[in-house]
Amino acid sequence: MYPEYMKPSLDKVAQTRAKRFELAKSGKPVFPPMSAEEREDVLQKFHPDYKPDARRKVRVGPNKGELLTAEVADLLESHSRIDPKKFDLSQPDYETDILIIGGGGGGCAAAIEAMRNGAKSIISTKLRLGDANSMMSQGGMQAADMPQDSPTRHYLDAMGGGHFDNKPELVRALTEDGPKIVKWLEELGVVWDKLPDGTMQVLHGGGTSRKRMHSCRDYTGAIIMRTLMDEVRNHPDMIEVLEFMPTVELLLDENGQCAGGILYNMETEEYFTVRAKATIIATGGFGRLHIRGFDTTNHYGATGDGLIMAYRAGANLLYMDSVQYHPTGAVYPEQIAGFLITEKIRGAGGQPVNKDGELFVFPREPRDVEAAAIIRECIGRKNGVTTQSGRVGIWLDSPLIEMLQGEGYIKKQFPAMFRQFNRYGIDITKEPMLIFPTLHYQNGGIEINDKAETSIPGLYVAGEASGGVHGRNRLMGNSVLDYNVFGRRAGFNAANYVQKVKLGKLTLEHVLKYEQELKEAGIETDRIAPVLLPLYTPEAVRKRQLTAHYEGTLR
Amino acid sequence: MKQDIGQRDSSPQTQKKPTKKTAEPDTEFVTVYIMGKAYKVPAGSTIMGAIEYAGYQIKRGAGCREGFCGACATVYRLPGDFKIYTGLACTTLVQDGMWLAQLPAIPPKKAIYDLEKLKPTVETFQLLYPEIFRCVACATCTKACPQDLEVMDYIQAAKRGDIEMVMDLSFDCLCCGLCAIRCPAEIVQFNVGLLARRLYGRYLNKKSQHLEERIKEIEEHKYDAEYEKLMKMSREELKKLYYERDME
Ligand SMILES: Cc1cc2nc3c(=O)[nH]c(=O)nc-3n(C[C@H](O)[C@H](O)[C@H](O)COP(=O)(O)OP(=O)(O)OC[C@H]3O[C@@H](n4cnc5c(N)ncnc54)[C@H](O)[C@@H]3O)c2cc1C
Ligand code: SF4
Ligand code: SF4
Ligand code: FES
């Protein structure tokens, strides 16, 4: 239930609803979309990436001298978890064709495709299989399969959304594979939303010029992820899954080819070596680094581990100066602060309105523009609603959806969202949601080509960990597509590569060299990475954690 | 001790995260018993927030933290009440006197199968999950479900081979396992639901004609020329095209 002090503002939203409903029904944009100049202006002034201290120069590694998101620079300028000298690499604990790092959507898609092309794999994953951002996507997946749409149109939308910084070959792969992915997933048993005659039920997303958002109610990610996981588990002879066993460093061979990794059993605190002819990084994003103190939508293990591992091994990063803040994260109630409110809510006609119930932005601008406009409304123009705990937000008017799409639509199409708020006594079919941008997606990542290859032979990257597909701003629905397209491409290309490659002696020399580089750059720090899990222990508890030395198993 | 990063305290809008900080002076507290040990935690915390507030570093028992993954199955009792309750740690709020324990994992039983060789009929369930026919219709699963799904009804539907109904009723299942751990007939409901959804998606959902046509066009290289043109365009040319494109 909303507290009393929000009532006046809620009443205003209700008062303007009829007028806004007429506007929506007219078919014209409910608010004028921004021109290129207006977009630039609001981004410059209000997007968190553009704050003066948001970026700093990284002092080591392949991107040395480049301005990166400050927290990413911190991540890169940190020590390894291991002392390479202590590892005997002559007797690997596991051997396989492909080591897949990360058991989310990208990792599972890669494993399935590799298996179908005859390669065995080990999936090293941090939490359980499928505990991943992929499990959480609600809105859907873009693919240009409708008659009024085309893959090249999808290409143009994605390029524009990414401010034309996207790598063209990657966007072509993404958009051209789209329809095939829809079919591939359906053949694996994904239940797409369809009209009774079999036509896909598609919606708009931010920045789309055609309706091409495919969904499975608002459990799209959960349905796809569980289907992929189930298929992985149907092949225990080909795919071995190691849970709570994240990879913490890559292994190279003496010829600079990627050759597997060092895994860490988070429960027994042991390390294991895996020798693999090819390696695929599918570790997802970095929301749990809480960039600029933002709440995040990401799962518990999203700490950007793939970035640092690949970077130490010599891979180049792309666009790690930009962060995606999702325009609509929950602000109230406190317990769900930062949780995602899917963009599909706006796709279905939900409107962002300020404390006076007035529209102030076209509801489907690209994400960064929409987010910046919401921050401007709250902080620049002070037209937000402030909660008792000091958060501020604007309304996302969901009851309008029921008026536009018919009664019962929300419960049927947004069961997760309905449930999320209903737990706290807020009925979103009758009342709007209070929202503010939340840390959502790692736009950039490890640079790949359209075969998902990196500059290191034998190292592939797929999904959110990769960079270049989305330029500096991803559109909704393109990352579910991304991890499927490039997960499959990575699995396929790696499976072919392992047929030919010969590995030499394994080494962790690159880790030692990186430590040396840190030293030479004069970087003194006690940070270590990969981070693995965020630290949520309160200060008061940490003050009492006074063990002088860590020894044995009692930490 | 080396310190991990991934912890920032500055906030975009003076936000307070109850799980990350000491609570405000006027915060109300409740007592919860985490696996029997008493801790004072802010009222209104989720169970997950409370566990972290108490000082635990969760390894098992948290995944998405938003009610999608089912990693955080929790059982609890309340004072003066004989019942065992079930819930998700990430979305269930603490209550004063709550005694709780997270389930680190639930022993699964998953049939191994080749979807291509299955038929969308009741025989498939008889073959892969014969134990569903032991269901005694006690509805314990339904009561245990944190998603409020009609779990018993979908098991009954599976027994009849009504795959569409199993798909529909189990659609929002998180595979948290709370139903399975409570079931007197040892049924693994969530895997039955998952099988039914895959059968439905593969065999029963109506095929999309336009999808087949588009794939054929792509395979026949219909878009190659346009792609090549677009990929060669300068940023300015692309920009112009982009801002002039029409909207559906
Ligand atoms: C709440 C939410 C909603 C979203 N909605 C949409 C949407 O509607 N449409 C859309 O297109 N996109 C959406 N996205 C984005 C999209 O879901 C993700 O970008 C995508 O799923 C990423 O897939 P992935 O396989 O690359 O990474 P993930 O699915 O995150 O998988 C990465 C896996 O790697 C594991 N891992 C991490 N580090 C290590 C390590 N060191 N060793 C081993 N394993 C490791 C992680 O624990 C995880 O299991 C959403 C994201 C979120 C968080
Ligand atoms: S708990 Fe088991 S036996 Fe009882 S209704 Fe559910 S499936 Fe049937
Ligand atoms: S059906 Fe069972 S596994 Fe699925 S959400 Fe409900 S209790 Fe959890
Ligand atoms: S942590 Fe994923 S459902 Fe609770």
Side-chain angles (χ1 to χ4, degrees):
Chain A
M1 272 213 319
Y2 286 115
E4 215 30 55
Y5 66 87
M6 291 186 187
K7 267 272 146 42
S9 176
L10 279 164
D11 288 346
K12 284 187 186 154
V13 177
Q15 277 159 23
T16 58
R17 192 170 290 138
K19 191 181 76 193
R20 289 182 288 110
F21 171 63
E22 289 308 320
L23 203 58
K25 262 200 344 197
S26 75
K28 287 195 283 286
V30 295
F31 198 86
M34 289 187 213
S35 66
E37 294 72 38
E38 286 168 318
R39 282 185 181 184
E40 199 44 44
D41 180 65
V42 72
L43 287 174
Q44 286 291 344
K45 291 193 184 130
F46 290 98
H47 196 280
D49 278 353
Y50 295 76
K51 293 272 177 274
D53 59 344
R55 295 168 180 157
R56 75 168 174 89
K57 273 196 184 141
V58 62
R59 292 169 286 176
V60 290
N63 292 65
K64 186 171 166 176
E66 205 178 295
L67 275 178
L68 302 181
T69 300
E71 288 81 355
V72 172
D74 287 351
L75 179 82
L76 299 180
E77 294 176 2
S78 50
H79 299 290
S80 176
R81 285 194 168 261
I82 57 167
D83 176 0
K85 292 193 216 88
K86 289 191 179 154
F87 284 78
D88 173 12
L89 302 174
S90 64
Q91 300 279 318
D93 299 302
Y94 296 85
E95 289 205 51
T96 186
D97 290 331
I98 309 176
L99 170 65
I100 298 173
I101 310 174
C108 289
I112 293 169
E113 197 64 22
M115 176 265 296
R116 290 183 176 179
N117 286 281
K120 287 193 176 189
S121 61
I122 288 178
I123 299 181
S124 140
T125 199
K126 189 187 299 186
L127 304 165
R128 304 174 315 163
L129 189 67
D131 288 348
N133 284 1
S134 298
M135 188 61 92
M136 308 170 73
S137 57
Q138 304 166 26
M141 182 180 97
Q142 289 200 45
D145 61 355
M146 299 302 282
Q148 66 276 21
D149 197 2
S150 77
T152 41
R153 197 167 247 294
H154 187 181
Y155 177 95
L156 191 61
D157 285 348
M159 291 297 286
H163 307 301
F164 310 96
D165 289 329
N166 326 44
K167 267 177 90 164
E169 60 176 296
L170 300 184
V171 185
R172 176 171 181 174
L174 180 83
T175 54
E176 202 171 16
D177 280 7
K180 275 183 271 181
I181 293 292
V182 176
K183 184 169 171 182
W184 186 71
L185 290 173
E186 180 160 88
E187 284 177 347
L188 283 167
V190 166
V191 184
W192 293 117
D193 291 336
K194 295 189 184 193
L195 302 177
D197 70 350
T199 307
M200 291 285 170
Q201 185 187 308
V202 285
L203 283 174
H204 265 305
T208 56
S209 66
R210 288 290 182 275
K211 293 183 181 167
R212 69 169 77 90
M213 200 65 62
H214 296 62
S215 53
C216 316
R217 302 186 189 166
D218 66 349
Y219 285 96
T220 311
I223 293 284
I224 299 177
M225 186 70 242
R226 291 209 167 88
T227 302
L228 294 174
M229 278 163 70
D230 193 52
E231 191 55 23
V232 162
R233 294 210 194 277
N234 275 344
H235 299 277
D237 47 331
M238 292 294 282
I239 310 170
E240 186 174 357
V241 181
L242 301 176
E243 297 182 320
F244 299 92
M245 286 271 273
T247 303
V248 297
E249 286 308 343
L250 295 177
L251 283 168
L252 297 180
D253 79 351
E254 55 198 339
N255 305 315
Q257 307 180 105
C258 194
I262 305 284
L263 276 57
Y264 176 55
N265 181 330
M266 294 208 295
E267 289 164 321
T268 64
E269 306 185 6
E270 290 168 278
Y271 288 90
F272 294 92
T273 50
V274 177
R275 181 179 186 272
K277 292 178 194 153
T279 303
I280 300 173
I281 291 182
T283 48
F286 64 4
R288 291 283 156 189
L289 298 181
H290 291 291
I291 292 164
R292 298 195 70 75
F294 269 81
D295 290 322
T296 185
T297 60
N298 286 194
H299 87 286
Y300 191 37
T303 50
D305 299 355
L307 298 174
I308 175 64
M309 285 190 270
Y311 198 71
R312 280 195 191 119
N316 183 51
L317 306 183
L318 209 55
Y319 305 138
M320 288 310 301
D321 57 352
S322 90
V323 178
Q324 180 162 88
Y325 297 89
H326 192 288
T328 58
V331 168
Y332 188 90
E334 191 81 14
Q335 293 89 348
I336 60 168
F339 284 26
L340 182 74
I341 317 268
T342 171
E343 190 167 307
K344 223 170 99 186
I345 294 272
R346 280 172 289 140
Q351 296 172 353
V353 295
N354 64 20
K355 69 174 191 317
D356 299 317
E358 300 297 340
L359 280 152
F360 58 89
V361 63
F362 178 62
R364 291 186 289 103
E365 295 287 359
R367 285 199 167 155
D368 50 354
V369 176
E370 189 84 17
I374 291 171
I375 297 175
R376 174 174 70 191
E377 196 65 16
C378 288
I379 292 169
R381 298 178 177 161
K382 308 231 174 328
N383 280 334
V385 175
T386 307
T387 71
Q388 215 137 33
S389 64
R391 292 168 194 266
V392 52
I394 54 107
W395 299 107
L396 183 58
D397 196 17
S398 44
L400 203 61
I401 298 173
E402 296 270 294
M403 296 165 73
L404 288 163
Q405 313 276 2
E407 216 168 300
Y409 188 86
I410 288 184
K411 267 197 195 159
K412 180 89 191 143
Q413 293 295 326
F414 301 105
M417 207 79 282
F418 180 79
R419 208 173 259 128
Q420 197 81 274
F421 280 85
N422 204 40
R423 284 195 181 102
Y424 302 97
I426 296 168
D427 178 352
I428 63 168
T429 65
K430 300 203 172 67
E431 287 183 306
M433 298 170 261
L434 198 65
I435 56 110
F436 189 81
T438 174
L439 174 54
H440 189 50
Y441 188 76
Q442 176 185 300
N443 288 320
I446 306 154
E447 183 167 5
I448 54 167
N449 64 15
D450 63 2
K451 290 168 139 173
E453 295 166 335
T454 63
S455 55
I456 301 171
L459 179 64
Y460 299 76
V461 184
E464 196 167 341
S466 76
V469 185
H470 310 288
R472 287 193 162 84
N473 177 53
R474 171 188 64 100
L475 296 182
M476 170 198 171
N478 274 349
S479 57
V480 171
L481 183 58
D482 171 354
Y483 79 66
N484 281 293
V485 167
F486 291 97
R488 283 187 72 191
R489 282 178 178 238
F492 177 81
N493 291 312
N496 285 326
Y497 171 85
V498 300
Q499 312 271 326
K500 311 178 290 250
V501 68
K502 293 265 173 309
L503 289 185
K505 239 176 77 201
L506 303 188
T507 162
L508 280 166
E509 204 52 46
H510 57 286
V511 178
L512 289 169
K513 253 175 59 194
Y514 197 83
E515 288 290 337
Q516 187 60 28
E517 214 189 322
L518 287 172
K519 210 160 145 197
E520 279 162 17
I523 296 165
E524 279 181 36
T525 176
D526 51 10
R527 289 187 302 260
I528 58 168
V531 170
L532 300 183
L533 292 176
L535 189 63
Y536 292 149
T537 313
E539 197 57 47
V541 175
R542 273 190 277 162
K543 273 197 195 136
R544 273 194 278 267
Q545 294 177 327
L546 292 171
T547 307
H549 303 284
Y550 284 106
E551 211 168 298
T553 51
L554 258 192
R555 327 209 93 225
Chain B
M1 187 183 84
K2 284 180 172 179
Q3 201 201 340
D4 276 330
I5 48 182
Q7 170 83 335
R8 282 282 173 314
D9 277 339
S10 67
S11 274
Q13 22 160 319
T14 66
Q15 302 189 344
K16 293 270 182 254
K17 296 189 187 75
T19 54
K20 283 174 87 176
K21 313 202 171 184
T22 38
E24 314 246 338
D26 59 352
T27 308
E28 278 178 51
F29 285 85
V30 295
T31 301
V32 295
Y33 299 86
I34 301 175
M35 294 175 281
K37 267 159 102 175
Y39 292 94
K40 278 208 176 334
V41 301
S45 311
T46 59
I47 291 176
M48 187 172 288
I51 292 172
E52 287 176 336
Y53 185 88
Y56 290 81
Q57 168 82 54
I58 299 179
K59 285 183 187 167
R60 282 185 187 262
C64 67
R65 304 175 68 103
E66 288 192 17
F68 287 94
C69 74
C72 61
T74 303
V75 289
Y76 59 92
R77 285 191 197 267
L78 297 170
D81 187 343
F82 65 89
K83 287 187 182 135
I84 282 203
Y85 292 92
T86 50
L88 299 172
C90 65
T91 55
T92 308
L93 300 186
V94 293
Q95 297 177 45
D96 198 29
M98 186 185 243
W99 197 113
L100 64 93
Q102 281 200 291
L103 302 176
I106 285 167
K109 175 191 180 257
K110 189 195 121 50
I112 303 285
Y113 53 84
D114 179 351
L115 189 66
E116 290 307 308
K117 298 209 176 100
L118 296 185
K119 289 203 175 60
T121 57
V122 72
E123 285 78 30
T124 297
F125 294 100
Q126 285 164 345
L127 189 72
L128 298 177
Y129 293 108
E131 62 275 16
I132 62 173
F133 296 92
R134 299 175 54 207
C135 169
V136 297
C138 64
T140 308
C141 50
T142 303
K143 266 186 261 165
C145 180
Q147 291 285 83
D148 299 328
L149 304 182
E150 299 296 340
V151 191
M152 178 178 80
D153 294 359
Y154 82 64
I155 293 301
Q156 294 298 332
K159 284 166 62 178
R160 298 191 304 270
D162 186 345
I163 291 173
E164 179 165 4
M165 183 175 254
V166 187
M167 177 280 293
D168 189 44
L169 294 180
S170 74
F171 206 88
D172 306 355
C173 168
L174 308 178
C175 301
C176 69
L178 283 166
C179 51
I181 209 75
R182 299 286 282 142
C183 174
E186 281 107 7
I187 293 165
V188 185
Q189 293 87 338
F190 53 94
N191 277 337
V192 176
L194 180 52
L195 172 63
R197 292 195 298 280
R198 290 193 66 186
L199 286 169
Y200 186 87
R202 172 68 183 83
Y203 294 107
L204 303 174
N205 211 0
K206 197 125 196 282
K207 294 283 166 271
S208 311
Q209 198 50 41
H210 58 88
L211 176 64
E212 297 300 327
E213 282 160 19
R214 179 57 41 80
I215 290 173
K216 193 154 163 272
E217 284 176 5
I218 293 172
E219 280 167 355
E220 288 169 352
H221 303 283
K222 181 172 167 200
Y223 298 97
D224 285 12
E226 204 176 338
Y227 266 122
E228 272 143 37
K229 206 170 98 202
L230 286 167
M231 287 167 74
K232 278 203 209 91
M233 277 188 186
S234 71
R235 182 180 282 253
E236 291 318 309
E237 287 171 306
L238 259 184
K239 237 183 182 166
K240 186 157 176 298
L241 204 63
Y242 174 75
Y243 282 101
E244 283 172 8
R245 77 207 197 286
D246 66 306
M247 296 271 180
E248 182 178 351

